[in-house]
Amino acid sequence: MSTPKRRLSEEANQQTTLASPAKIRRAEIGTLSRALASEESSAGEYEESEIEGMYLDTVNRANLDFDFEQICSVSLSTNNVYSCLVCGKYYQGRGKKSHAYFHSINEDHHVFINLHTLKVYVLPDNYEVRDRSLNDIKAVIRPNFSPAQVRSLDRSCEQSRDLNGRRYLPGFVGLNKIKCNDYINVVVQALAHVPPIRDTLLLLPDIEKQTPLVQRLAGLLRRMWHPKLFKAHISPHELVQEILTRSKRRFGLDLPGDAFDLLTWLLNTLHIDLGGSKKRNSSIVYRAFQGEILVTTQPIEDTKSRKHQQDPIEMDAHKSSVKVLKMSFLTLSLDLPPKPLFADDDNDDENGKRSAIPQ
């Protein structure tokens, strides 16, 4: 005979055996529902990514040119400017009453990038697009360099290719000629290959807080050294406009200018904009260009008064009053000997060529 305790344990085991298939069934149903939910969420994410990248195939990099002033082509405003990634034109805003919004409807161009925040939006739906395929466009708008990349600039001779497959060497790209801006291009090309100036402008932090002249020059040098340009030539339009404005039309585009005069003005202006003072090595401009020269002065007196203008002058120099001064300079001009009007046969060199400048 079975005891009451044994019967209770058998009933409990029987109930447990009968209940376990139901628990297993509920567990299977829960697993299946979670799998279906994950599939639905992944499908939703896939559909969302498809919607975000719907108009990215209309982006035309050949039409993009970010060298010009970032100003709306309709309102001429510089606030909240977007660039159409289909035609390359600049428009203001992205609201329902903005010029970019009307352009997206009228021209059926839908992908725009904010030139300040570098965020990409699709209009008129007005949603942001996050896609890695647009990183090359953002890099062209605002090139950035790491210290390791800057250190390797002078050691690397690797050529790059633009969108058309043309080869170019970063740092040795051409600057467009607007009018008579040849002398400006010469100065920019020279400064772009002075390592202290170049490295400072390429790695300059918080460039938005700098003066407009420093921003324009640093942006131009960064594009010149960028290895992934869309075109193998750059327009210095923004820098030229800033030079005209800052110098109060001292340097213009209507007539050829003096490159040495521009270099002197630009170095002094950059020195002030970068926080320099009269102290030595107070800015990168002084550290790179400032030199010293010894100037010797000695007073000379006329020892004999002349009765007639034709009488010779007798001067006496006081050796005891010689003074030597050490003076600083940024640029030092040297006079070349004059070119002879008539070439002399006696000035031929070893190869039989006449020397233009007498030795």
Side-chain angles (χ1 to χ4, degrees):
M1 293 181 64
S2 58
T3 60
K5 292 183 178 180
R6 184 176 180 181
R7 286 198 300 271
L8 290 174
S9 62
E10 290 178 353
E11 291 178 358
N13 292 335
Q14 187 176 3
Q15 289 178 0
T16 304
T17 304
L18 293 175
S20 58
K23 291 182 179 179
I24 293 173
R25 194 176 298 109
R26 286 195 298 270
E28 291 178 350
I29 293 173
T31 304
L32 182 60
S33 63
R34 286 192 296 271
L36 291 175
S38 62
E39 289 180 0
E40 290 178 357
S41 62
S42 62
E45 293 177 358
Y46 181 74
E47 292 176 358
E48 184 178 356
S49 63
E50 276 191 340
I51 293 174
E52 287 186 357
M54 184 184 303
Y55 299 105
L56 295 185
D57 57 342
T58 63
V59 175
N60 191 353
R61 288 169 172 79
N63 293 335
L64 303 182
D65 190 354
F66 303 106
D67 295 337
F68 294 95
E69 188 177 2
Q70 298 177 0
I71 184 173
C72 177
S73 58
V74 179
S75 64
L76 303 181
S77 174
T78 58
N79 297 326
N80 197 22
V81 178
Y82 288 78
S83 174
C84 176
L85 296 184
V86 181
C87 64
K89 295 181 179 179
Y90 294 168
Y91 295 97
Q92 184 183 15
R94 59 184 174 88
K96 292 186 177 181
K97 295 183 180 181
S98 64
H99 301 292
Y101 184 88
F102 293 142
H103 177 75
S104 66
I105 296 176
N106 297 333
E107 303 296 334
D108 200 24
H109 296 171
H110 301 284
V111 188
F112 293 81
I113 185 170
N114 188 297
L115 297 176
H116 179 68
T117 63
L118 300 183
K119 293 183 178 181
V120 182
Y121 295 89
V122 170
L123 300 180
D125 299 329
N126 199 13
Y127 62 85
E128 184 180 356
V129 177
R130 298 181 179 88
D131 197 284
R132 289 181 295 178
S133 63
L134 302 173
N135 290 342
D136 60 333
I137 299 177
K138 298 178 182 179
V140 171
I141 297 176
R142 193 177 301 164
N144 292 316
F145 292 84
S146 64
Q149 291 175 331
V150 172
R151 288 193 298 268
S152 64
L153 290 179
D154 295 328
R155 298 191 300 267
S156 176
C157 297
E158 183 179 357
Q159 293 185 346
S160 303
R161 291 181 181 270
D162 61 0
L163 291 179
N164 297 322
R166 289 192 295 264
R167 293 180 179 271
Y168 73 93
L169 188 62
F172 296 86
V173 296
L175 298 177
N176 295 346
K177 181 178 179 181
I178 303 173
K179 285 185 179 179
C180 297
N181 66 316
D182 306 76
Y183 68 104
I184 299 179
N185 293 350
V186 168
V187 173
V188 173
Q189 292 282 11
L191 292 179
H193 292 87
V194 178
I197 301 294
R198 178 200 62 191
D199 298 349
T200 300
L201 295 178
L202 294 183
L203 298 175
L204 192 63
D206 299 331
I207 191 172
E208 295 83 5
K209 299 180 181 179
Q210 302 294 331
T211 62
L213 181 63
V214 176
Q215 293 182 22
R216 302 293 185 266
L217 183 60
L220 182 59
L221 263 61
R222 292 182 181 190
R223 287 193 294 272
M224 291 176 62
W225 287 96
H226 188 52
K228 296 181 180 179
L229 294 175
F230 292 162
K231 299 177 182 178
H233 54 85
I234 301 174
S235 175
H237 181 269
E238 284 189 303
L239 178 62
V240 170
Q241 292 294 331
E242 183 59 30
I243 290 177
L244 265 64
T245 303
R246 187 71 180 271
S247 66
K248 298 180 180 179
R249 299 287 175 174
R250 176 181 173 184
F251 304 101
L253 299 177
D254 298 329
L255 296 174
D258 187 1
F260 180 76
D261 189 15
L262 173 65
L263 178 62
T264 305
W265 175 86
L266 186 59
L267 290 179
N268 285 282
T269 307
L270 288 176
H271 169 70
I272 296 173
D273 290 353
L274 294 174
S277 62
K278 294 183 179 181
K279 296 182 179 179
R280 186 172 178 81
N281 297 330
S282 58
S283 73
I284 187 60
V285 177
Y286 272 17
R287 290 195 294 270
F289 286 99
Q290 191 178 45
E292 290 183 346
I293 185 173
L294 296 178
V295 179
T296 303
T297 60
Q298 185 177 13
I300 298 177
E301 296 179 357
D302 189 1
T303 59
K304 180 181 178 182
S305 60
R306 294 184 299 170
K307 297 181 179 179
H308 303 284
Q309 189 175 3
Q310 292 79 11
D311 294 344
I313 302 176
E314 295 183 7
M315 308 295 293
D316 185 19
H318 298 278
K319 297 181 180 180
S320 60
S321 58
V322 176
K323 296 181 179 179
V324 179
L325 300 177
K326 184 183 293 185
M327 302 179 64
S328 301
F329 67 92
L330 284 180
T331 56
L332 187 63
S333 59
L334 301 176
D335 295 332
L336 294 176
K339 184 177 180 180
L341 295 177
F342 304 98
D344 191 359
D345 294 338
D346 296 336
N347 291 333
D348 295 349
D349 57 9
E350 296 178 356
N351 299 325
K353 296 182 179 180
R354 295 179 180 179
S355 177
I357 300 178
Q359 303 296 326

